[in-house]
Amino acid sequence: MANLQLTSNITFLYFNDLEAAKPFFEEVLGLEKAYDPVWAAVYRLRDKAFLGAVDNHSGSIQVTSTDSVLISLTVDNIEEVHESLKGSRGVEGLSEIKQVKDLALKSFFFTGPEGYHFEVEQFTSGALSELF
């Protein structure tokens, strides 16, 4: 097994219209752009955890479907975030906040640009809150 000595994490989402997707990350989600090499934009989630948006025509791979991707973002103010996303441009199918059975977790879902699925979650127990 490889001896990965991880220093950071970047998850990349590929978009056919990157310029149209950028306002979603910057204005709707309010993420800080950490790096912008023109064909992509990398947004800081926390410390050295990042979410990247890539031009599907210029990236390393070609993405043909976004159906199997779920980006979960963990917060400690789920009600405030839910309220702020109501009526936001680029947010579709905003669900209500639900308590997840068998887990100390509240969450809600929505769809962002080009059909990517997002979940915002808040752990409600000390053990899970500390883990995530």
Side-chain angles (χ1 to χ4, degrees):
M1 181 167 150
N3 184 14
L4 294 176
Q5 296 180 7
L6 298 173
T7 60
S8 70
N9 171 264
I10 307 172
T11 299
F12 288 103
L13 304 177
Y14 285 71
F15 293 92
N16 291 317
D17 189 348
L18 176 61
E19 290 306 312
K22 285 181 179 181
F24 171 79
F25 295 101
E26 297 168 16
E27 298 166 16
V28 175
L29 296 183
L31 298 177
E32 168 199 353
K33 190 185 308 179
Y35 181 64
D36 187 354
V38 180
W39 53 269
V42 179
Y43 298 95
R44 184 180 314 278
L45 297 176
R46 180 164 181 138
D47 304 323
K48 290 191 174 188
F50 302 90
L51 186 59
V54 180
D55 182 333
N56 199 31
H57 309 290
S58 302
S60 303
I61 61 174
Q62 294 293 296
V63 173
T64 58
S65 174
T66 61
D67 291 343
S68 300
V69 176
L70 174 64
I71 301 298
S72 292
L73 304 170
T74 304
V75 300
D76 60 7
N77 62 339
I78 195 166
E79 288 85 5
E80 180 182 331
V81 173
H82 187 266
E83 189 62 33
S84 73
L85 290 175
K86 287 181 180 177
S88 291
R89 187 173 56 94
V91 173
E92 297 178 10
L94 182 66
S95 75
E96 293 300 318
I97 299 171
K98 295 182 182 172
Q99 178 69 46
V100 177
K101 286 184 177 181
D102 303 323
L103 281 179
L105 174 71
K106 296 188 293 188
S107 72
F108 67 87
F109 297 87
F110 62 93
T111 304
E114 297 189 28
Y116 279 103
H117 302 285
F118 289 82
E119 173 186 29
V120 176
E121 60 188 11
Q122 180 176 345
F123 291 94
T124 57
S125 84
L128 289 176
S129 294
E130 289 178 31
L131 179 62
F132 297 109

